[in-house]
Amino acid sequence: MKTKYFFALIIAAPLAFTACNSEVPKEKAAAVASAAQQVYVPPGKLDDYYAFLSGGQSGGVFVYGIPSCRYIREIPIFEPRAGLGYANNLGTESYKRLRDSGPIWGDTHHPVLSQTDGKYDGKNLWINDKANGRVARVDLHTFDVAEIKRVPNIQGAHGLAAYLPSCKYVFVNGELEHDFEKNTTDPANYRSVIAFLDGQTLETKFEVSFVGNADIASSGKDGKYVFVTMYNTENGQSSEGMIERDRDAVGAIDVPLAEKLVAEGKATVINGVPVIDETKIPGVLTRIPVPKNPHGCNVTPDGKYVLASGKLSPTVTIIDAHTLKVVAEPEVGLGPLHSTFDNRGNVYTSLFVDSQIVKWNLEKAIKGDPSYLVDRVDVHYNVGHTKAAGADTSYPSGDWLISLNKLSKGMFLPVGPAMPESQELIDISGDKMKVVAAFPSPPEPHDAVMVSRQVLADKVAQTYQLPAKATKLGEEKVVRNGKKLEVFMTCIRSKFIPESFEVHQGDEVTIHLTNVETVRDMTHGLAIANHGINLACDPGQSQDATFTAGKPGTYWYYCTWFCSALHLEMRGRMLVKNDGEPVSDSLNPGAVPANVEPKASYE
Ligand code: K7E
Ligand code: CUA
Ligand code: CA
């Protein structure tokens, strides 16, 4: 598939196989060399795809380059990340946004990219927090969290998808049943909801409530139905109770009908949200019976079918996405969890129990052609989600597929009793699948989404736009108000201004730090010795740190990102005075000998 790095590999491959892999038999060595060539992206060259992996209990998203499998960055979302200056400090906006929405931990499962005309548009990435009923929006111009909102009435906000084709809503379904109306503990009152959120503001516009639960979500492509798998139609409260029935369901929600009912005032407002109770106003939710306890829910790229992966059944149920009739139920292997698509009519289903990806032909399976199974490949080990490039859009690319494996066993150097999760990259461009690489990740990716770098090429910002509240160079100041001190500070290579300020022990200090750099990547951090403060301030960004000044003495603040040859000199002093000692509000009190003006060189 990729030949552009062929020459580099001619040099690299023999080295690799004589030095480390002498046990690889000759015939295998050729296959390994060709796999290495496919994923080798020389330093300085860019990958073809961004892969966004949900972080699971790490609470954020990890960005990798494909095909090199190189880790590029982390986007912390539902958990403070002090090292990145994210939500780690009282003063930061990220802290307020996260705190206002609930606990400072989250469990991210399903990254979803925004689309226009059936293609990724590179604007937004949405992700759920299963643990605390929240959804976040990441702005892909900056790869930064733009919004986090609590979804009323939901527990276990699990399946997440964008309502297609418009993306005017993202919708999220509750996996965990509870009584959000009367707040009783009586299982007879348990409901779950599917919540429809404004794609930009994430305000919950309306919800559909029902008995049982919903697990994984996927949208039809024509603005009518959205689909969810439902494994607890029993409304069971024990694992036995949840597997009583032979068949559970795929739920199809008629969105235009739900909107109409809301507009007609047929919904009940619960905790500020109009809720259509499906037990009282039937018709909005159609249950399509499928084998017991289905998991993955995936609409085909052409929007014709929705597939429910069997999990406990070795089948995938194929449902006509318009008539809602089951058209086929092919057997694919043990523990089918999720399905994804290429551009040639094939489906790739993850098999958790078999530890395999199975490739099968959709039309053949529907026609009952016994040759519908095309290929299967072993993965390592116990695959959960699998996702092919572009598979959620109308135009899958058909080249790469990621297998997100729950266990890595002996794949990597042992690092104690716990081992990393593992992803494998599979070339699906040919008739046969080829596993070409494996890469570990922090815990615990559930799902991934890949977007071509071209989509984001002209979208990713070089710097932040200075916000209105930003301190301008030359307008730095110290403002004292009783026990509160505000320091309006700028930073640029290689200086903080002011380079010192005075304060009393116990005063509440807020530093408003603006990075006035205009060059990409010139991040400056602000750490304050012995005060637990670390900001990361990217070019054009303004960040606030609020803290209480410690016992009297000198505390240096310094830059935490190695930014220039004078990085180490990029520091200043917080001078904490004894009670009763006078404090100066001039910039840089006592910093330089009298009548010498501080003069900064910003080069
Ligand atoms: Cu998408 Cu892991 Cu939340 Cu399946 S879930 S594996
Ligand atoms: Cu600024 Cu280091
Ligand atoms: Ca069940």
Side-chain angles (χ1 to χ4, degrees):
M1 178 174 25
K2 288 270 153 22
T3 51
K4 55 184 160 174
Y5 308 125
F6 180 71
F7 294 108
L9 259 296
I10 289 209
I11 300 162
L15 277 178
F17 302 123
T18 51
C20 328
N21 288 352
S22 51
E23 75 277 12
V24 176
K26 264 202 182 128
E27 58 280 13
K28 271 212 173 154
V32 175
S34 106
Q37 184 179 329
Q38 281 186 276
V39 299
Y40 184 68
V41 179
K45 296 287 178 203
L46 300 180
D47 277 293
D48 294 331
Y49 289 96
Y50 292 85
F52 296 90
L53 273 59
S54 62
Q57 57 272 40
S58 295
V61 166
F62 299 105
V63 185
Y64 287 81
I66 298 297
S68 75
C69 306
R70 294 183 291 207
Y71 167 80
I72 302 173
R73 69 165 285 180
E74 173 184 356
I75 308 170
I77 300 173
F78 294 110
E79 185 171 297
R81 186 71 166 81
L84 302 177
Y86 178 78
N88 62 326
N89 180 277
L90 273 174
T92 54
E93 266 172 44
S94 51
Y95 183 94
K96 284 180 209 131
R97 191 190 292 119
L98 180 52
R99 263 299 151 113
D100 287 352
S101 71
I104 52 170
W105 172 75
D107 186 13
T108 56
H109 284 221
H110 300 115
V112 174
L113 288 171
S114 57
Q115 300 184 26
T116 300
D117 300 328
K119 294 182 182 143
Y120 292 138
D121 58 21
K123 290 180 185 160
N124 293 304
L125 178 139
W126 296 283
I127 195 149
N128 68 308
D129 166 16
K130 171 168 165 168
N132 305 295
R134 289 178 290 189
V135 174
R137 178 169 65 83
V138 171
D139 182 342
L140 290 177
H141 295 94
T142 54
F143 283 54
D144 211 355
V145 179
E147 205 62 77
I148 300 178
K149 285 276 163 63
R150 180 91 175 79
V151 180
N153 305 326
I154 208 163
Q155 201 175 110
H158 192 222
L160 180 77
Y163 171 61
L164 297 174
S166 67
C167 286
K168 77 170 166 173
Y169 305 122
V170 286
F171 61 101
V172 59
N173 58 250
E175 188 187 340
L176 310 174
E177 317 77 4
H178 67 137
D179 175 9
F180 51 84
E181 192 169 4
K182 302 187 205 86
N183 302 318
T184 69
T185 57
D186 182 355
N189 295 332
Y190 284 3
R191 298 282 187 279
S192 294
V193 299
I194 298 164
F196 291 81
L197 282 52
D198 181 285
Q200 284 301 302
T201 66
L202 304 186
E203 295 293 342
T204 302
K205 293 299 186 185
F206 63 91
E207 294 176 343
V208 175
S209 78
F210 53 94
V211 175
N213 80 341
D215 187 12
I216 304 282
S218 189
S219 176
K221 308 264 179 176
D222 59 357
K224 179 144 168 92
Y225 292 113
V226 299
F227 302 94
V228 292
T229 42
M230 310 169 102
Y231 67 76
N232 190 20
T233 55
E234 299 91 341
N235 193 26
Q237 286 86 55
S238 64
S239 53
E240 295 82 7
M242 295 177 202
I243 56 169
E244 252 173 32
R245 289 186 180 159
D246 281 340
R247 289 181 95 79
D248 283 295
V250 164
I253 294 93
D254 183 335
V255 180
L257 176 59
E259 286 174 322
K260 183 165 165 278
L261 291 169
V262 172
E264 288 168 356
K266 303 244 166 72
T268 311
V269 175
I270 304 172
N271 298 313
V273 176
V275 181
I276 301 157
D277 184 343
E278 187 262 342
T279 61
K280 293 181 192 139
I281 313 170
V284 178
L285 173 62
T286 306
R287 285 180 182 75
I288 306 146
V290 299
K292 70 158 70 174
N293 291 51
H295 187 52
C297 184
N298 299 93
V299 172
T300 54
D302 60 11
K304 282 190 186 163
Y305 304 104
V306 52
L307 312 188
S309 300
K311 190 168 75 182
L312 302 186
S313 159
T315 54
V316 172
T317 305
I318 307 172
I319 298 161
D320 185 306
H322 298 100
T323 65
L324 309 185
K325 296 274 182 297
V326 173
V327 297
E329 210 154 79
E331 274 198 28
V332 294
L334 295 181
L337 287 187
H338 295 279
S339 294
T340 189
F341 309 99
D342 67 14
N343 53 354
R344 303 179 301 279
N346 298 305
V347 183
Y348 301 78
T349 300
S350 57
L351 301 173
F352 180 85
V353 177
D354 279 338
S355 284
Q356 284 183 331
I357 302 290
V358 58
K359 172 180 176 182
W360 52 282
N361 184 274
L362 184 69
E363 282 308 322
K364 282 186 177 176
I366 291 170
K367 288 195 188 112
D369 181 334
S371 68
Y372 65 95
L373 290 170
V374 181
D375 189 23
R376 56 181 72 232
V377 73
D378 291 337
V379 291
H380 311 86
Y381 299 85
N382 297 103
V383 52
H385 274 271
T386 182
K387 188 66 69 68
D392 299 331
T393 73
S394 301
Y395 307 96
S397 331
D399 48 3
W400 293 115
L401 173 145
I402 292 186
S403 171
L404 294 106
N405 310 318
K406 301 298 183 190
L407 299 179
S408 61
K409 296 190 184 178
M411 295 284 284
F412 308 108
L413 290 173
V415 286
M419 290 295 291
E421 276 59 49
S422 174
Q423 287 64 235
E424 283 174 299
L425 184 66
I426 300 178
D427 172 6
I428 57 166
S429 62
D431 292 339
K432 289 267 179 200
M433 290 179 278
K434 276 196 293 176
V435 179
V436 295
F439 58 104
S441 69
E444 174 186 308
H446 284 257
D447 196 4
V449 60
M450 276 185 272
V451 57
S452 159
R453 78 159 194 261
Q454 263 89 37
V455 172
L456 288 173
D458 58 351
K459 296 220 165 48
V460 182
Q462 299 270 327
T463 66
Y464 284 86
Q465 302 280 340
L466 276 176
K469 64 163 192 171
T471 307
K472 294 189 183 63
L473 203 58
E475 295 180 7
E476 299 84 358
K477 62 184 173 189
V478 169
V479 176
R480 197 177 304 273
N481 193 349
K483 296 286 286 172
K484 289 192 176 188
L485 186 78
E486 285 184 279
V487 183
F488 294 83
M489 187 182 283
T490 61
C491 60
I492 191 166
R493 277 159 292 162
S494 302
K495 203 171 184 65
F496 293 108
I497 306 172
E499 274 183 321
S500 62
F501 61 88
E502 294 187 351
V503 66
H504 281 122
Q505 175 174 14
D507 285 358
E508 184 192 287
V509 181
T510 298
I511 296 177
H512 307 283
L513 179 69
T514 300
N515 180 338
V516 294
E517 298 275 3
T518 54
V519 178
R520 168 180 254 173
D521 203 25
M522 274 305 146
T523 302
H524 300 289
L526 176 84
I528 305 174
N530 301 336
H531 282 73
I533 299 296
N534 180 43
L535 294 180
C537 210
D538 295 331
Q541 224 177 8
S542 204
Q543 300 275 19
D544 299 336
T546 299
F547 58 95
T548 303
K551 66 177 196 209
T554 294
Y555 299 89
W556 287 93
Y557 43 92
Y558 67 93
C559 177
T560 34
W561 296 73
F562 208 112
C563 51
S564 71
L566 283 174
H567 159 76
L568 295 167
E569 289 79 0
M570 188 169 173
R571 57 188 173 120
R573 293 173 304 152
M574 174 169 73
L575 306 166
V576 183
K577 301 285 182 179
N578 280 294
D579 281 352
E581 244 188 299
V583 285
S584 163
D585 284 347
S586 75
L587 299 182
N588 300 358
V592 288
N595 65 38
V596 177
E597 280 298 301
K599 210 161 188 228
S601 161
Y602 303 133
E603 302 312 312

